[in-house]
Amino acid sequence: MDFNVKRLAADAGTFLSRAVQFTEEKLGQAEKTELDAHLENLLAKAECTRHWTEKIMKQTEILLQPNPNVRIEEFLYEKLEKKAPTRMNNNEQLGEYMIDSGNEFGPGTAYGNALTKCGETQKQIGIAEREFIQSSAINFLTPFRNFLEGDFKTISKERKLLQNKRLDLDAAKTRLKKARAAEARAAAEQEVRIAQSEFDRQGEITRLLLEGIGSTHAHHLRCLNDFVEAQTTYYAQCYQYMVDLQKQLGSFPTTLTSNNNQNSSSSAQSTSDPSIPVSSSLPTPANSIVTSGFSELRASSGSRKARVLYDYDAADSSELSLLADEVITVYSVPGMDTDWLMGERGSQKGRVPITYLELLN
């Protein structure tokens, strides 16, 4: 019991001595032992590393999970060491809606089939996103977090000890200056030697830890390469999925109009080969051939055979419903919009969109 009391009293005395020394330094009333330049540079490098590691890690977490509520939930599950519930991401949810709507409209229709294909692709992108997030969390975020919660905490602890040893040394030097009696000076000198030895020892420990920051940078560089590789894989997958989807959608008609109030120039632009993306604004040879074929038909006032490319449901009695791969007779009527022709199948006739047709020789 007496030993504990004495120890507490000694600790209180040390704390008070450090507080007095620190206060006097701030007021300019006491000298301060400066760390060597190399150690100061190492400390600055470590602090800079902590600062930017925190910023990069937090922003990466926002990139991987933009929803702050979900981030908080995942953090709580992690602290409780429980597995967070699996939920669909935005791409997977959109894919589900597209597939459900495609089934509702009918997979046999062009629009329903297109929605289904888009939905399947969105779900593929969602899966790729999930794999990218998992890879980034393991290979990038975890090492950054381990540094902040492990190595840097140890550095901070040893740095604080170094600061305390420095205060002890300077306080001992101050007492030595104030000592007058020979016995008091001898005791003070002994105290300075001990404090100097402890300060030097703690400075060496801190220096060795700080020099490990170089290894931390090398490790983080490897993690950065892993992150970039994961991003490259993810974006390459997404690009390939979208290219494949674009090719599939190329087999569907690009113009689905029943009311034609567009002028002739915009109509001519919308008449394109179904295999060419709608967003393409440059003319292609295939597009020119198709357009010239219909233009010649309208100019000749004759008729041609045409193969139907896709099923088409008539919007009203003035139009003719079509079945894919059937052959019909088509011709132009004066005053008819350039996107349309008259089609005949036996005794049935009506307007048909030219984007559903392929003229036969």
Side-chain angles (χ1 to χ4, degrees), residues 88-96 122-123 126-127 130:
M88 287 191 292
N89 57 37
N90 292 332
N91 284 301
E92 291 173 320
Q93 188 66 67
L94 176 59
E96 282 288 321
Q122 291 297 330
K123 294 189 76 172
I127 294 173
R130 193 181 297 279

Side-chain angles (χ1 to χ4, degrees), residues 115-183:
L115 280 170
T116 300
K117 291 184 181 299
C118 287
E120 290 170 350
T121 300
Q122 291 297 330
K123 294 189 76 172
Q124 286 179 309
I125 292 175
I127 294 173
E129 179 187 351
R130 193 181 297 279
E131 292 173 351
F132 164 61
I133 292 174
Q134 183 178 12
S135 174
S136 299
I138 294 173
N139 299 322
F140 189 63
L141 288 179
T142 298
F144 274 46
R145 187 177 292 109
N146 288 343
F147 165 72
L148 293 173
E149 297 178 355
D151 293 350
F152 192 79
K153 277 191 174 181
T154 301
I155 290 173
S156 298
K157 178 182 175 182
E158 297 301 328
R159 181 180 181 177
K160 185 176 180 181
L161 284 174
L162 178 62
Q163 171 73 354
N164 288 337
K165 296 300 181 183
R166 201 270 306 160
L167 289 171
D168 291 343
L169 174 60
D170 288 337
K173 288 180 178 179
T174 300
R175 285 191 289 272
L176 176 59
K177 287 182 179 181
K178 295 178 179 180
R180 294 291 180 265
E183 185 177 344

Side-chain angles (χ1 to χ4, degrees), residues 235-351:
Y235 291 126
Q237 285 179 316
C238 293
Y239 173 76
Q240 190 58 53
Y241 290 148
M242 296 311 297
V243 168
D244 294 342
L245 175 62
Q246 192 175 41
K247 290 178 180 178
Q248 293 179 59
L249 294 183
S251 63
F252 294 98
T254 58
T255 304
L256 299 172
T257 56
S258 57
N259 269 330
N260 298 284
N261 298 321
Q262 300 175 343
N263 57 42
S264 60
S265 62
S266 63
S267 298
Q269 290 176 0
S270 65
T271 305
S272 60
D273 189 311
S275 64
I276 305 300
V278 181
S279 60
S280 177
S281 59
L282 297 176
T284 63
N287 189 40
S288 300
I289 293 172
V290 172
T291 303
S292 62
F294 287 110
S295 298
E296 291 174 2
L297 175 60
R298 282 190 289 269
S300 67
S301 300
S303 63
R304 291 274 296 274
K305 293 293 186 181
R307 184 174 69 87
V308 177
L309 298 175
Y310 328 100
D311 292 347
Y312 176 72
D313 295 327
D316 54 47
S317 59
S318 69
E319 298 178 6
L320 179 66
S321 294
L322 303 174
L323 295 175
D325 294 325
E326 70 171 324
V327 176
I328 63 173
T329 301
V330 293
Y331 55 91
S332 180
V333 174
M336 178 172 285
D337 191 281
T338 55
D339 285 341
W340 296 77
L341 289 172
M342 288 298 293
E344 286 190 1
R345 184 200 306 112
S347 60
Q348 298 178 324
K349 66 178 181 178
R351 296 188 309 149

Side-chain angles (χ1 to χ4, degrees), residues 70-80:
V70 175
R71 288 202 305 274
I72 293 173
E73 181 182 291
E74 291 175 348
F75 173 79
L76 292 176
Y77 274 104
E78 181 180 350
K79 290 301 179 182
L80 294 173

Side-chain angles (χ1 to χ4, degrees), residues 169-230:
L169 174 60
D170 288 337
K173 288 180 178 179
T174 300
R175 285 191 289 272
L176 176 59
K177 287 182 179 181
K178 295 178 179 180
R180 294 291 180 265
E183 185 177 344
R185 285 190 63 82
E189 287 173 353
Q190 177 66 16
E191 185 182 1
V192 168
R193 283 194 294 270
I194 294 173
Q196 183 71 58
S197 174
E198 291 181 352
F199 172 72
D200 291 341
R201 178 176 174 276
Q202 185 59 39
E204 184 64 16
I205 293 173
T206 306
R207 182 185 63 78
L208 290 173
L209 285 172
L210 291 171
E211 287 177 344
I213 291 293
S215 299
T216 298
H217 285 188
H219 180 49
H220 285 183
L221 176 58
R222 292 193 296 271
C223 296
L224 185 61
N225 285 329
D226 291 339
F227 179 61
V228 171
E229 183 179 351

